[in-house]
Amino acid sequence: MDARPLFQALRALSEDNASFFERSGTESGRRVAAACAALREHGRRLEPALRHFSRLAPRFDLDEATPGNGYRSLAQVARSCLAHAVRKSRYVAAHRRSLFFRAAHNAAELEAWGAALAQLRAMLCLAQRMLARNAPGCLFAEEGGEEEEEEGEGLSATVLREYSTMRNGCFYGRCLGFQFAPSLRPFLQTIAIGLVSFGENYRRNDLGLGVAAGSLFTSGKFALDPELRGDEFERITQNLDVHFWKSFWNLTETELLASVASMTSTPVGVCRVLAVPPEPLELPLAADPSVTVTIAPPVAHSGPAPVTMRLLSYHLREGQDSAALSALTRAEGPRGPSRWWRGPPLPPSPGLLVHFHGGGFVAQTSRSHEPYLRGWARDLGAPILSVDYALAPEAPFPRALEECFYAYCWALRHCRLLGSTAQRVCLAGDSAGGNLCLTVSLRAAALGVPVPHGIVAAYPVTLVRAAASPSRLLTLLDPLLPLGVLCKCLSAYAGTEEEEEEASPPSPEPLGPSALLRRDTSGRARASRPGGGRPEEGERQEPPPGSPPEAEGEGLEYPDEFQPLRSQGPPARFMPPPAPLAKNPYMSPLLAPDAMLGGLPPVHLVACALDPMLDDSVALARRLRALGRPVTLQVVPDLPHGFLSLGPLSAETRRATALCTRLIRDVLQPPGEGTRRGSLLLGTRRDSLAPHEGTRRGSLLLGVRRDSLAPHEGTRRDSMVALHEGPRRGSVLLGVRRDSLAPQEGTRRDSLAPREGTRRGSVLLGVRRDSLAAPPEGPRRGSLLLGTRRDPPLTHGCRGADAPGSPAAAPPGSAAPAHPGVGGTATAGEAPPQPPGAGSLPPPEARPPPRPPSCATQPGGGAPSPPDGPDPPRTPPGRRLSAAPLGSRRASGPAGREVGS
């Protein structure tokens, strides 16, 4: 996208608005003029930087078909901020002369966008330093050699130190979520208001629901004052410990919210919580099934304990109602196991999905992820086993990995209890769960047990350390994954949370009325200051107490004497995990050696273009691609981290969730197999050059491939090659091929080649008209014929009154030909008689015997006469015709078989 029109518009509008409001004698007018001047200066400085990153960003993509990396994301966020600043400037220019124009409100809006552009300038400067110091083509310095790694560690520490003093409250006030899809911004604003209200009333030993109820009474002030909300959001994300985030995120685990989510989500046939005892398992080796390996139960940190899992299945299948599985089931609160399926159990599914939930390794269970898992169970038709692994900081690494690996092996060993044969197994997870999918597969490959057939990881974290990358710079403005939260979660999983908790500053007191006045964050106190109380972007502030020095090469120097806005509070401490533990490949799969990564199954990554974890996915995909391993990367735009849990909120999240579903279905479906029996196919591939198998028996086909150049067995339109088999028994065919020049066995219109009639048990809606070829064999026994052929053309040797079977052509005493499939076979040029009533035929005695057709043009070269007499009845193989008279059957079809039987 070319940003030059944005810069030109911003420059013109800022100059116009500044010149207008400079003549104003009010304080609000001077604030508007100063904010417009700041916007113009930021635009002038940002333009060359954006041009530079737009030119270099494609070098860091996975390939040309997959554009996405942190440098692209930074440029996109800067352009989005510019677009919002231009839109606001246009509004001011259009309404500044109105009597209802609120100068103070619009001045605050322009100041907020100016502050956002100032911080984005600082982020682009940090990204420029990464671009200069990292190895060519590397997003993380750890991808290079030891020299680059040591250099990268110094750069990461410098970036963390710089971020600890930079102000980010401007991104959580009026500019909250500006980079995401507009449909998600109201939800993000609600989350931010709830977060700061919850943080004001938070006490570590209080119940989360009680704190949430108390937060409702204090949320109004944060909704009315965006600047106050931004200040509090910044304080919470930098100072409160991981237990606060665990309590806030676990609000979705409460009985009230979980029950509401369960009632509004897709119903499933089976929803059971299992507690698997910690017993050793025996699994055969993948290379030699005659040799088994023993899988020990999890013991890290807390010793052996049952592993909790949740089984979901849209259909009740064999084994899911067994006594052995019931013995493992435990009650979940007041509700028992969910089951609405009332029919007999279905056969085991060949596919099995093992799911690991997200939550930063510290919060949530499968219950909070149950809404989209229920949708997966319906769309995939396979059982889903979601693992509730132990959470940090109480159970740090490697406890979660041990429990997930044990659950995966248990699922392979007892797949029949889960309603699956485990012929195709897929691992799926989001965020922290995506990391566990990769590490479980690495461990399975290392022990020699069967690895899954594929991995689908949504926005996974592949480098569990506070390392600097272009996309991780977005943590300064991300409302769902700020840098402080990311570092606290990674430290908790690495086992360093206790040290960080001791050194972290105590949480401040709740914000009462007197505290608000002392902090001077109310709108009236800010408006009383010159310039609205915000320091200018070039103004040097007094360093806050305890802030690190910026001299002696420890801080960052910015060009043009520019300085970003600094936080007014003490700097936050972002402690990364210790280097030796963070380099463990079972914690950070991105750092795994090539030999370990070579054992991974096909990996399908789904990342968000605006997610701080984007570079984790891109870097891993590039490593796997370099090793020749099968890997795909899908980058979805305009969505935040954790979009799977936001599926019902917008069309964008629903499309992204459907993308994950399709990738999982591709893993669970055996290669080369078409649509399965009993499936519903709504629109298939068009303009495809690859063959695929046709629709199977019992499927419903609505809309088929067009303009295909390769043969396939399904129904197509406008095909010029290779015949294909018609609809299979029991299928419903709506719309068939037209204008085809190739022979085909299915039902067609305007065809030049013969084909076999409709198969037994099919429903035919509309058949051939005006056919130039010999008529096909009639519908087989048990089919329903709605609409038959009429008006045969002259090329059959007769037409109109001379047509065989017409009243004028039949001499006295002659009979019409028997209906196909009942008493004889229709010959060329004959039209079968119309049935006297829908779904019934006249009795045999009411129909005259058939006669040979006569045509005056036959001796002169017309159509050859058929042999005398009707053909003998044709009996399908393996069946005998019923001896009962047709008149004794009710609503029978052409074959004499009762309709609907």
Side-chain angles (χ1 to χ4, degrees):
M1 176 183 176
D2 189 6
R4 283 178 294 181
L6 287 176
F7 287 109
Q8 295 171 2
L10 181 63
R11 181 167 55 251
L13 290 169
S14 298
E15 292 175 354
D16 183 35
N17 288 329
S19 63
F20 179 85
F21 284 99
E22 282 175 354
R23 300 189 297 267
S24 174
T26 62
E27 179 65 28
S28 299
R30 288 192 293 269
R31 287 177 57 192
V32 173
C36 292
L39 287 175
R40 180 184 56 193
E41 177 64 17
H42 291 318
R44 187 175 68 86
R45 298 295 184 181
L46 278 172
E47 186 172 6
L50 278 184
R51 221 172 23 242
H52 178 68
F53 281 110
S54 299
R55 185 176 65 256
L56 297 180
R59 302 180 183 179
F60 300 89
D61 295 335
L62 176 63
D63 50 43
E64 294 182 357
T66 315
N69 60 77
Y71 295 111
R72 283 184 182 270
S73 301
L74 286 175
Q76 178 183 349
V77 169
R79 286 193 296 266
S80 178
C81 188
L82 282 170
H84 283 84
V86 169
R87 187 179 300 111
K88 189 61 187 178
S89 299
R90 283 175 177 161
Y91 176 85
V92 172
H95 298 84
R96 63 194 180 190
R97 300 181 185 274
S98 173
L99 295 177
F100 302 99
F101 181 77
R102 297 181 296 167
H105 170 77
N106 287 277
E109 293 278 343
L110 293 174
E111 288 170 355
W113 292 115
L117 286 177
Q119 301 305 81
L120 286 173
R121 282 183 63 186
M123 293 169 60
L124 290 179
C125 291
L126 295 176
Q128 178 63 37
R129 179 163 298 200
M130 295 179 190
L131 191 62
R133 296 182 62 177
N134 286 351
C138 294
L139 296 168
F140 291 96
E142 288 77 4
E143 296 179 9
E146 296 181 358
E147 181 180 354
E148 289 83 356
E149 186 173 347
E150 295 175 1
E151 202 169 308
E153 289 176 350
L155 178 61
S156 297
T158 304
V159 171
L160 290 178
R161 188 180 301 112
E162 187 71 9
Y163 261 38
S164 65
T165 62
M166 288 178 60
R167 171 178 169 78
N168 59 358
C170 58
F171 293 112
Y172 306 131
R174 299 181 187 272
C175 305
L176 178 68
F178 69 90
Q179 70 272 31
F180 299 120
S183 56
L184 293 177
R185 291 172 196 163
F187 167 77
L188 296 176
Q189 184 176 3
T190 304
I191 290 295
I193 295 173
L195 175 65
V196 295
S197 303
F198 187 84
E200 184 179 16
N201 297 271
Y202 169 71
R203 294 293 182 272
R204 180 164 178 174
N205 296 325
D206 288 351
L207 295 178
L209 191 58
V211 176
S215 303
L216 295 177
F217 298 98
T218 60
S219 59
K221 58 184 178 184
F222 298 113
L224 297 176
D225 193 346
E227 280 74 21
L228 176 61
R229 180 176 70 233
D231 292 340
E232 280 305 291
F233 201 103
E234 179 180 350
R235 178 189 69 84
I236 288 173
T237 56
Q238 292 186 354
N239 297 323
L240 294 186
D241 56 17
V242 71
H243 297 280
F244 165 78
W245 298 101
K246 181 189 287 284
S247 301
F248 180 72
W249 288 339
N250 282 339
L251 288 177
T252 56
E253 303 286 332
T254 58
E255 187 65 32
L256 176 62
L257 296 182
S259 299
V260 172
S262 178
M263 288 187 296
T264 57
S265 57
T266 304
V268 293
V270 176
C271 181
R272 288 187 169 189
V273 178
L274 310 178
V276 177
E279 299 174 351
L281 300 174
E282 296 290 335
L283 280 183
L285 294 179
D288 187 3
S290 61
V291 181
T292 60
V293 61
T294 302
I295 307 300
V299 295
H301 298 294
S302 56
V307 180
T308 306
M309 315 173 194
R310 182 183 299 272
L311 175 64
L312 297 105
S313 179
Y314 189 69
H315 305 287
L316 176 65
R317 298 186 178 274
E318 295 178 1
Q320 295 175 348
D321 56 349
S322 61
L325 190 68
S326 300
L328 302 176
T329 304
R330 66 174 179 84
E332 185 181 23
R335 61 174 186 171
S338 173
R339 175 183 171 183
W340 60 268
W341 185 266
R342 294 295 180 264
L346 299 180
S349 170
L352 176 64
L353 176 62
V354 181
H355 172 261
F356 306 132
H357 65 82
F361 301 104
V362 300
Q364 297 188 336
T365 65
S366 62
R367 190 175 191 181
S368 55
H369 294 250
E370 189 177 334
Y372 71 83
L373 289 179
R374 287 169 171 258
W376 283 3
R378 176 198 59 197
D379 298 336
L380 298 173
I384 300 177
L385 186 68
S386 185
V387 183
D388 292 337
Y389 52 86
L391 301 174
E394 294 81 9
F397 176 84
R399 180 72 186 197
L401 173 60
E402 289 185 354
E403 292 192 359
C404 290
F405 178 70
Y406 181 83
Y408 167 73
C409 296
W410 184 88
L412 295 182
R413 183 70 177 82
H414 301 88
C415 60
R416 291 284 179 176
L417 292 180
L418 305 177
S420 173
T421 58
Q423 298 176 13
R424 303 286 298 183
V425 180
C426 177
L427 293 187
D430 66 311
S431 190
N435 174 282
L436 293 171
C437 290
L438 296 167
T439 53
V440 165
S441 300
L442 289 175
R443 189 164 184 180
L447 292 181
V449 299
V451 297
H453 296 84
I455 300 173
V456 178
Y459 39 88
V461 50
T462 62
L463 186 62
V464 185
R465 60 188 305 179
S469 80
S471 71
R472 292 196 178 189
L473 293 178
L474 296 175
T475 54
L476 187 70
L477 52 91
D478 195 290
L480 297 180
L481 195 60
L483 179 62
V485 180
L486 176 63
C487 292
K488 289 177 175 63
C489 293
L490 300 185
S491 299
Y493 186 53
T496 62
E497 189 270 338
E498 294 182 356
E499 300 177 7
E500 183 182 2
E501 181 184 357
E502 294 174 359
S504 61
S507 301
E509 61 179 352
L511 289 178
S514 59
L516 288 177
L517 293 178
R518 288 196 303 269
R519 293 179 70 249
D520 194 19
T521 56
S522 65
R524 180 176 300 177
R526 276 194 309 278
S528 64
R529 304 179 190 165
R534 296 294 183 207
E536 297 294 333
E537 62 276 2
E539 178 183 350
R540 295 298 301 271
Q541 305 180 49
E542 292 295 330
S547 61
E550 298 184 21
E552 291 83 31
E554 293 186 0
L556 290 179
E557 296 181 0
Y558 295 91
D560 305 320
E561 299 182 356
F562 163 75
Q563 280 296 320
L565 301 178
R566 301 291 179 182
S567 177
Q568 298 179 357
R573 294 191 58 190
F574 301 135
M575 176 177 290
L581 186 59
K583 293 180 180 179
N584 191 322
Y586 293 116
M587 176 182 283
S588 300
L590 182 60
L591 303 180
D594 294 346
M596 293 184 64
L597 290 180
L600 285 177
V603 178
H604 306 279
L605 302 173
V606 181
C608 305
L610 303 177
D611 180 17
M613 297 292 102
L614 170 63
D615 288 340
D616 291 55
S617 298
V618 177
L620 179 64
R622 294 181 61 161
R623 282 206 62 190
L624 293 175
R625 179 71 60 82
L627 295 175
R629 301 301 302 163
V631 59
T632 63
L633 174 64
Q634 306 287 338
V635 182
V636 296
D638 304 331
L639 292 183
H641 187 89
F643 66 79
L644 281 177
S645 299
L646 311 178
L649 295 180
S650 68
E652 292 85 358
T653 54
R654 287 191 292 270
R655 284 194 296 266
T657 304
L659 171 63
C660 298
T661 307
R662 179 177 61 82
L663 294 174
I664 297 174
R665 184 185 296 111
D666 292 343
V667 175
L668 295 180
Q669 179 176 327
E673 185 169 322
T675 308
R676 299 190 169 227
R677 182 175 58 184
S679 64
L680 177 63
L681 182 60
L682 301 178
T684 51
R685 295 173 50 192
R686 297 184 179 183
D687 307 324
S688 177
L689 300 180
H692 68 91
E693 187 177 348
T695 308
R696 299 208 162 191
R697 182 178 60 182
S699 64
L700 177 61
L701 180 62
L702 303 180
V704 289
R705 290 176 55 189
R706 299 182 180 180
D707 306 326
S708 178
L709 300 181
H712 76 107
E713 299 182 11
T715 308
R716 300 192 313 215
R717 295 185 179 183
D718 306 327
S719 177
M720 302 292 296
V721 295
L723 61 98
H724 63 282
E725 186 178 350
R728 302 203 175 186
R729 183 177 59 183
S731 64
V732 179
L733 181 62
L734 304 180
V736 290
R737 289 178 56 188
R738 299 181 180 180
D739 307 324
S740 178
L741 300 181
Q744 172 193 12
E745 297 182 11
T747 306
R748 299 191 318 214
R749 295 184 180 182
D750 306 325
S751 177
L752 298 179
R755 87 267 184 234
E756 186 183 349
T758 308
R759 298 201 169 194
R760 180 179 54 192
S762 64
V763 179
L764 181 61
L765 304 180
V767 291
R768 291 176 54 193
R769 299 180 181 179
D770 307 324
S771 177
L772 301 181
E777 182 186 350
R780 299 199 177 184
R781 185 179 61 178
S783 65
L784 176 61
L785 181 62
L786 302 180
T788 54
R789 292 178 52 201
R790 51 186 174 182
D791 301 330
L794 181 62
T795 51
H796 283 298
C798 47
R799 61 179 299 177
D802 298 330
S806 64
S814 61
H819 194 279
V822 178
T825 303
T827 57
E830 296 179 349
Q834 295 294 333
S840 65
L841 290 176
E845 60 274 6
R847 285 182 285 168
R851 73 167 186 87
S854 62
C855 184
T857 60
Q858 179 179 350
S865 300
D868 295 335
D871 293 339
R874 300 183 59 177
T875 304
R879 294 182 179 267
R880 290 183 299 175
L881 293 176
S882 174
L886 292 176
S888 63
R889 298 178 181 269
R890 58 176 181 87
S892 58
R897 187 175 180 181
E898 182 177 343
V899 175
S901 60

